[in-house]
Amino acid sequence: MPIIRVAHLEKLFGHLHVLKDVSLTVEAQEVVCVIGRSGSGKSTLLRCINFLEQPTQGTIEVDRLTVAVAQHRLSKEQKQIIHQIRLCTGMVFQEFNLFPHLSVIDNLIEAPVTVKGMPRDQAIVIAEKFLDKVGLMEKRDEFPTRLSGGQKQRVAIARALTMEPKVMLFDEPTSALDPELIGEVLEVMKQLAKEGTTMLVVTHEMGFASEVASRVIYMDEGQIIEEDTPDQMFTAPRDQRTRQFLDRLLRTN
């Protein structure tokens, strides 16, 4: 049983058809990277999986929690399941989304305390464990304004891990970083992959995808065009659109 299963997902923003009959699975402890040009629907896909965006139609299943959307209004039972899905999915955004008025440690414990009802002392122990994992224990009492972009993103990863999710979703986690800071974030993600963390990653970092991913998915115009192992995808893609995208990316870099 896959830990993530998306079936026939559709998403419309007004008349704009952003996702078109998207289906995919992710197995436990698998790392799947999603690539494609800007505007291809990659970020919307992630946001639909944890219902930051409500799908127009389709089925989302995370850790055997299933919501089938066939109409605009969700039932009370569906909303309860969505809450459970959000509890078991950690999300890391492009722009960090840290609370600027809270210290690093308070950013980390906010969700466990307010959403899970965890005692503050217990939440701090868990938060410190993950701060140490991302190499930022010495920044425990700093505020986000005093951190570099790479440090902010590592704090954001630790914050997501503090909820102890079953799945980690990464939405282009290095795209807002200066080039010299990208490596420190990717190293944390590589370590998570080695430890068996289930990850669905939207990324433009082809080196990371080649090294870490179990599978790579190429999206274009709201559809999954091709998916394969990194070796096959990056050396001999089958679809012309995939080849054109990768050729253009290699020329740019």
Side-chain angles (χ1 to χ4, degrees):
M1 178 74 70
I3 195 164
I4 297 176
R5 185 174 64 88
V6 176
H8 306 297
L9 181 64
E10 305 275 347
K11 178 60 183 177
L12 284 83
F13 291 104
H15 295 294
L16 185 62
H17 203 166
V18 179
L19 295 176
K20 305 169 186 175
D21 195 27
V22 172
S23 297
L24 64 88
T25 60
V26 180
E27 302 291 333
Q29 300 188 327
E30 189 177 24
V31 178
V32 176
C33 287
V34 184
I35 64 173
R37 59 175 56 89
S38 296
S40 59
K42 308 183 302 295
S43 295
T44 301
L45 170 61
L46 286 198
R47 294 173 69 87
C48 284
I49 288 173
N50 68 356
F51 288 88
L52 290 176
E53 295 287 353
Q54 183 179 321
T56 303
Q57 188 169 314
T59 301
I60 303 289
E61 181 178 314
V62 180
D63 196 30
R64 303 191 181 189
L65 299 163
T66 305
V67 176
V69 179
Q71 56 188 15
H72 182 68
R73 182 169 294 182
L74 296 168
S75 68
K76 183 178 179 181
E77 180 183 2
Q78 285 176 316
K79 290 177 181 178
Q80 291 171 341
I81 296 171
I82 288 169
H83 177 70
Q84 294 301 314
I85 287 175
R86 287 174 176 159
L87 287 178
C88 68
T89 55
M91 183 85 171
V92 178
F93 301 89
Q94 298 178 34
E95 298 289 346
F96 326 128
N97 289 5
L98 300 176
F99 296 113
H101 63 290
L102 296 180
S103 68
V104 165
I105 194 68
D106 285 335
N107 263 280
L108 266 64
I109 69 171
E110 178 72 13
V113 170
T114 60
V115 178
K116 284 188 170 181
M118 186 180 293
R120 180 181 172 87
D121 290 349
Q122 182 182 344
I124 287 174
V125 170
I126 295 171
E128 288 180 339
K129 177 179 76 171
F130 289 114
L131 263 187
D132 187 54
K133 177 182 284 291
V134 301
L136 287 174
M137 183 63 86
E138 76 280 3
K139 302 295 185 181
R140 179 190 188 281
D141 299 312
E142 296 281 8
F143 284 81
T145 53
R146 295 178 60 86
L147 303 178
S148 71
Q151 289 170 337
K152 289 177 185 176
Q153 195 60 293
R154 285 151 63 196
V155 168
I157 293 171
R159 178 180 61 180
L161 291 170
T162 300
M163 289 293 283
E164 301 183 307
K166 298 290 184 70
V167 170
M168 288 286 287
L169 307 176
F170 291 86
D171 185 10
E172 299 195 35
T174 60
S175 64
L177 300 179
D178 293 332
E180 67 270 17
L181 301 176
I182 289 172
E184 65 187 66
V185 174
L186 294 181
E187 283 304 315
V188 170
M189 295 173 65
K190 289 174 185 177
Q191 186 58 41
L192 291 176
K194 288 178 183 177
E195 294 170 1
T197 305
T198 306
M199 299 162 64
L200 183 58
V201 185
V202 171
T203 185
H204 288 292
E205 299 293 335
M206 299 302 145
F208 170 82
S210 180
E211 181 180 346
V212 176
S214 316
R215 284 181 291 128
V216 178
I217 292 172
Y218 172 66
M219 289 188 68
D220 187 42
E221 295 186 350
Q223 296 177 299
I224 291 178
I225 303 301
E226 185 170 353
E227 65 175 289
D228 216 320
T229 63
D231 284 348
Q232 177 68 30
M233 182 71 79
F234 294 135
T235 60
R238 295 186 302 273
D239 193 278
Q240 181 180 356
R241 288 164 291 184
T242 313
R243 290 195 296 272
Q244 289 174 341
F245 169 75
L246 292 172
D247 287 346
R248 190 180 303 115
L249 196 68
L250 289 172
R251 285 199 303 271
T252 302
N253 293 335

